[in-house]
Each structure stands twice: as structure tokens, then as C-alpha cells.
Amino acid sequence: MFNGMKTTAMCQRTAAMAAGLLVGLGGAAYSVAADAPSIGDLQVKYRQAMYTVMAGNFAPLGAMAAGKAPFDAKEAQKRADRVAFVSNMLNEGFPPGSDKGKGTRAKPEIWTNRAEFDRLMQDLQKQTAALAAAAKTGDEAKFKPAAAAAGKACKTCHDKFKTED
Ligand code: ASC
């Protein structure tokens, strides 16, 4: 009888603990799920990371092209190669559904007017390839207009498909 009561009490306590644990875990699982980035959020993060690499490498090129930094042929070639390389990856940053990710400044028109977006992206790829080729010559006179043209390709697409900074 005593043992039986004890067992019952223990069972109840164990059951209560288990229930508490489940509620706790359930709550934790719920809050993790609520805070977890969506696939769209992650796609936006990846996209923005690529553009951060683009900007980080284009900045010294822009400075050299504008005469704000001395022309350094080796540096120009290194940065231009990177910009040209990453420009060929950017398309992967705009899969269907990634129009809705957290913090994006990409306009919905990218997904509704894809042909125009693709055209501007191809122009960027062409201009950055030309910039890399110009930088490779080591000739500042060839580098400067090529950098200006690549910067213009960036800006043309931003003006059309990116919301204001
Ligand atoms: C940059 C940068 C851009 C482009 C653009 C070129 O360095 O961050 O978005 O160049 O300003 O016109």
C-alpha cells in the first residue's frame, strides 16, 4: 500500500516532469523556429555577401580611376580580377522566392522583369571582364575608362533594380 502510493506519487511526479520537459522543449523548438531565418532570408544574406565582396574590391578601383589613390597596376589587376569573377556569381543570388528575404533592397521587378535584369547583369559581366583585361595591360590610360564603364554598369542596375540606400 505504502509502496503503491509511493510509486503512484513518483509516477505522477515523473509524468509532471516529463510534461514540463516537453512543454519546455516544445517552447524552445517553437522559439527557435520563430527566430530562425527563412530560406529567403538566407538567400538574401548570401546575395548581400557577394555584393559586399564586389564593393570591397571595386572601392580601390574607383579610387584609382578617380585619381583619389595613385594608380597601382598590380593592385588594380588583383581587384579587377575579383570583381570580374564575382560578377559571374551574382545571378545565383536571385533565385525565385528570394524577393522576400529580410533586409533586401532588391526590387520585386527583378523577378517580374527578369530579361531586363539579366541584360544589365550580362553588361556588368562584360564590362568587368573588359576592366580585368585593361588592368592586366598595366596601362593607366586603358584602366581608367574601363573602370568608369564598369562603375556605370553597377549604377545602371542599381538605379533600376535597387531601392535607395
Ligand atoms: C561601388 C559601390 C557601388 C558601385 C557604384 C558605381 O564601389 O559600392 O555600388 O561602386 O557606386 O557607380
Side-chain angles (χ1 to χ4, degrees), residues 71-163:
F71 179 66
D72 175 338
K74 215 172 149 221
E75 172 79 353
Q77 193 181 333
K78 180 177 91 175
R79 301 290 182 179
D81 281 346
R82 289 179 182 172
V83 163
F85 186 87
V86 178
S87 78
N88 290 301
M89 298 168 64
L90 294 176
N91 235 327
E92 295 164 24
F94 299 87
S98 67
D99 53 329
K100 299 242 160 44
K102 194 171 161 191
T104 190
R105 283 181 288 161
K107 288 188 183 170
E109 285 76 13
I110 291 168
W111 290 269
T112 58
N113 189 6
R114 193 62 177 226
E116 175 66 1
F117 178 76
D118 288 346
R119 195 181 67 76
L120 297 183
M121 186 65 87
Q122 279 155 20
D123 187 52
L124 175 73
Q125 290 161 355
K126 190 175 136 204
Q127 299 304 338
T128 55
L131 171 59
K136 202 169 180 184
T137 68
D139 182 349
E140 186 175 5
K142 288 197 173 73
F143 163 77
K144 280 191 170 182
K152 196 160 171 245
C154 299
K155 187 172 176 346
T156 302
C157 194
H158 293 169
D159 287 351
K160 184 139 198 174
F161 290 113
K162 184 184 175 193
T163 59

